[in-house]
Amino acid sequence: MSKTLRNIFCSVFFFIGFIWLHTFIRLNSYISDSSLSSYILKAAIAIIATVFYYWCFIGIIDSLESLYKISIGKCAVALNLICLVMIAALIIELSTDNFSIIGEQEIQIISLTISKKYIFDICIAVLFPVIVEYILKSMVNENFSHKSIVYGITAILLVSLVEYLLFFAMRNIWLVDMVVINLITLIVGVMKYVIPQKKVRKGNIIGILILYALIYIFLFFLLSYGSGLSEFLYGATWDEYREGAWFIVKNASLFGTSEQLLSSVYIHDWLINRNNYILQLLFYGGWAAVVGLIAFMIAFLYMLIHLLGFKNLRIHRHQLVYTTAFSVLAVRIVMGILYSFALLPYPVVLPFGGTYSIITDSIVFGLILYGAWENYRYEQVITYEPVEPESFLAKEMNYQTFTKENEKYEEEGFGDQVCVQDSAQRILCDVEWTYGNERQIAVFIPTDNPNHQVFLLEHTTENLWRPVDDRSLYPSVLEEFFYYRTPDCMKEDDTDET
């Protein structure tokens, strides 16, 4: 089995482990909650729906990209239209009571109401990365002219401002989390599209990223700040949370529930309806369970890093989406651990822990799985090994080919397979025709092929094929074969400056 495919299956088992832990906490520490099957169903539906709708979304934008040449001007026009829509929405919101886009924590359009908590991860993990991707790609296509740089930076600032206004009414921590993820997205985008350009100064890039962060810090000063950082991020009850968390940390046993925690009415009441994995496990399982959980989460991140396939960063379309999705889970694990021990007032739940996050984290996990599947499809192509035809057939001067219906083979249609026959047997193959050096050479991929091997035959006369006698043709033929067989998701233009 492919290593990538094995990692996909392993990551799914980690995901099931998180869902089990979520269910355990809900059934044991919540006064009233759903049954076991409801959590599994929510997560499964979220992943399946994500894969389907993301596939549709990516198919549409890739089709538009192939039909219309990307330019920074078109990106700017599209973002200007989005800004006009937001201004119109604000005007409507100020003039009516049954419409809200900016001022509330829900999007309300007449009788339709959607919590912004559900669309937060979609905006930061799909829409923002895709927009940034096309802006940076447009700047590369225009060779980083002064016009493209000004338009590109302005466009990124505009889409960031739209995000800020959309989630303005949420608690401050949501905006801080958004900025952290956006910065990671921009850094990865710069690594993919900008850094390879020799004419762009690295110092300028760092300066622009710092300026981007400073602009957000300025916008944060427009929010309700409170008496300090903890009140800005968490609220006025940080001291109360820290007192309860530290009491559990200090009195937890090595294994199982300690007598101090078990006999504490305060802690029993404090833990009710609290979705923090670490504090709940300190109560139920002690430090051993928490150490196991942290190791489990680190292993989960390690598995996801392998699924991202950073070696394909330069050619993998929409890599920013999958990297951003990973960063969402990574931030929630790292900051969630610090928050759980009351070391940092960054109140994010650990992965799949919250009422909303069991759905939203399943969405970002589904995006990572989709990206991993694209990596798997690409690896299946580049690992083909050319061998002689006699590895599958008897050694002969010529071979015949037929369709599966036993008719003469000329050229297969999409998805058709071909039978290659020697004097004694025939095998079923997929075929990829190539036309290098004005010779009709095809690459045959046997369907029963555990070693992932292919062989080359040259079309000579009607229905007759012979082995390719010139080994020097192999590199060019295989290069053409890999190009035709490479999935579109791995056909990103090379961003090196020429």
Side-chain angles (χ1 to χ4, degrees), residues 20 22 35 40 59 70 78 82 121 134 142 157 195 232 238 254 264 288-289 302 311 389 395 400 404 440 458:
W20 175 87
H22 178 101
S35 63
I40 299 174
I70 300 174
I82 293 175
D121 287 320
Y134 281 108
E142 299 185 18
L157 291 176
I195 294 296
F232 175 76
W238 171 246
L254 184 59
S264 173
Y302 179 78
K311 61 184 178 182
K395 186 174 182 180
Q400 289 185 305
K404 290 200 308 185
Q440 295 184 1
E458 182 178 2

Side-chain angles (χ1 to χ4, degrees), residues 5-182:
L5 199 58
R6 185 168 62 250
N7 288 338
I8 290 175
F9 286 126
C10 289
S11 67
V12 171
F13 282 113
F14 276 96
F15 166 74
I16 293 172
F18 277 113
I19 300 303
W20 175 87
L21 184 57
H22 178 101
T23 304
F24 173 81
I25 299 301
R26 294 283 166 158
L27 296 181
N28 287 276
S29 297
Y30 276 63
I31 295 175
S32 176
D33 215 26
S34 304
S35 63
L36 170 64
S37 60
S38 68
Y39 304 115
I40 299 174
L41 190 61
K42 285 180 184 178
I45 291 175
I47 289 180
I48 294 171
T50 297
V51 170
F52 174 73
Y53 286 112
Y54 179 74
W55 173 73
C56 295
F57 173 71
I58 290 301
I60 292 171
I61 64 173
D62 285 349
S63 298
L64 292 175
E65 181 183 359
S66 64
L67 291 174
Y68 305 102
K69 184 178 179 181
I70 300 174
S71 69
I72 196 64
K74 292 176 182 177
C75 292
V77 168
L79 289 173
N80 287 336
L81 290 175
I82 293 175
C83 291
L84 288 175
V85 170
M86 290 294 291
I87 293 173
L90 178 61
I91 294 173
I92 297 173
E93 183 173 342
L94 294 174
S95 59
T96 184
D97 294 331
N98 57 359
F99 185 91
S100 176
I101 297 291
I102 298 174
E104 302 294 336
Q105 294 190 10
E106 296 85 22
I107 294 177
Q108 180 184 357
I109 303 175
I110 307 176
S111 59
L112 176 65
T113 302
I114 303 173
S115 173
K116 291 181 180 179
K117 293 180 179 180
Y118 285 119
I119 67 170
F120 179 80
D121 287 320
I122 296 175
C123 288
I124 66 171
V126 179
L127 300 182
F128 184 79
V130 168
I131 292 172
V132 168
E133 178 183 61
Y134 281 108
I135 291 172
L136 293 177
K137 194 183 296 185
S138 300
M139 294 169 70
V140 172
N141 291 342
E142 299 185 18
N143 203 24
F144 285 92
S145 64
H146 292 299
K147 176 184 175 181
S148 69
I149 292 174
V150 172
Y151 276 28
I153 293 174
T154 304
I156 290 174
L157 291 176
L158 280 176
V159 72
S160 300
L161 179 61
V162 169
E163 270 191 323
Y164 177 84
L165 293 175
L166 184 61
F167 299 106
F168 178 81
M170 306 287 284
R171 289 176 56 194
N172 295 343
I173 185 60
W174 290 82
L175 294 175
V176 173
D177 203 39
M178 181 185 74
V179 175
V180 172
I181 303 301
N182 284 0

Side-chain angles (χ1 to χ4, degrees), residues 264-389:
S264 173
V265 177
Y266 161 68
I267 288 301
H268 278 280
D269 293 338
W270 192 83
L271 282 176
I272 290 176
N273 293 342
R274 196 173 292 273
N275 56 27
N276 192 298
Y277 290 158
I278 288 179
L279 296 179
Q280 293 282 1
L281 286 184
L282 279 174
F283 179 86
Y284 286 105
W287 281 100
V290 170
V291 170
L293 172 63
I294 293 175
F296 180 84
M297 290 189 292
I298 293 174
F300 179 62
L301 283 183
Y302 179 78
M303 191 70 62
L304 295 186
I305 289 174
H306 283 284
L307 293 182
L308 290 177
F310 277 117
K311 61 184 178 182
N312 300 326
L313 173 67
R314 299 285 302 281
I315 63 171
H316 195 172
R317 281 189 177 185
H318 314 304
Q319 177 72 56
L320 267 65
V321 172
Y322 313 127
T323 305
T324 303
F326 167 79
S327 67
V328 170
L329 295 177
V331 166
R332 287 174 187 171
I333 287 176
V334 174
M335 294 301 184
I337 291 174
L338 296 176
Y339 166 66
S340 298
F341 291 113
L343 299 175
L344 188 69
Y346 198 97
V348 295
V349 294
L350 292 166
F352 311 99
T355 303
Y356 292 97
S357 70
I358 191 173
I359 296 175
T360 56
D361 289 352
S362 296
I363 290 174
V364 296
F365 180 64
L367 292 173
I368 295 172
L369 290 182
Y370 192 95
W373 177 252
E374 291 182 338
N375 283 320
Y376 169 73
R377 290 171 57 204
Y378 177 62
E379 290 172 4
Q380 289 295 101
V381 172
I382 63 175
T383 53
Y384 280 123
E385 176 190 2
V387 296
E388 296 297 332

Side-chain angles (χ1 to χ4, degrees), residues 389-390 392-394 396 398-404 406-407 409 417-431 442-447 455-458 463-467:
E390 50 263 32
F392 297 93
L393 299 161
E396 295 183 0
N398 292 288
Y399 300 96
Q400 289 185 305
T401 54
F402 301 91
T403 65
K404 290 200 308 185
N406 209 34
E407 298 174 354
Y409 166 66
Q417 292 178 319
V418 178
C419 296
V420 184
Q421 180 175 304
D422 58 23
S423 57
Q425 63 172 334
R426 61 171 58 180
I427 60 172
L428 192 63
C429 299
D430 293 322
V431 186
V443 180
F444 290 79
I445 309 104
T447 54
F455 60 91
L456 279 59
L457 296 176
E458 182 178 2
N463 207 38
L464 285 180
W465 297 74
R466 70 182 180 189

Side-chain angles (χ1 to χ4, degrees), residues 213-263:
L214 290 176
I215 290 173
Y216 260 121
I217 292 174
F218 170 75
L219 292 175
F220 287 155
F221 279 108
L222 302 179
L223 303 173
S224 175
Y225 195 84
S227 59
L229 180 63
S230 61
E231 189 169 339
F232 175 76
L233 292 175
Y234 188 88
T237 59
W238 171 246
D239 290 337
E240 177 186 334
Y241 171 82
R242 184 169 55 185
E243 179 184 353
W246 283 4
F247 184 90
I248 295 176
V249 168
K250 292 176 182 177
N251 292 283
S253 62
L254 184 59
F255 297 98
T257 306
S258 70
E259 290 297 329
Q260 294 90 334
L261 295 180
L262 195 59
S263 61

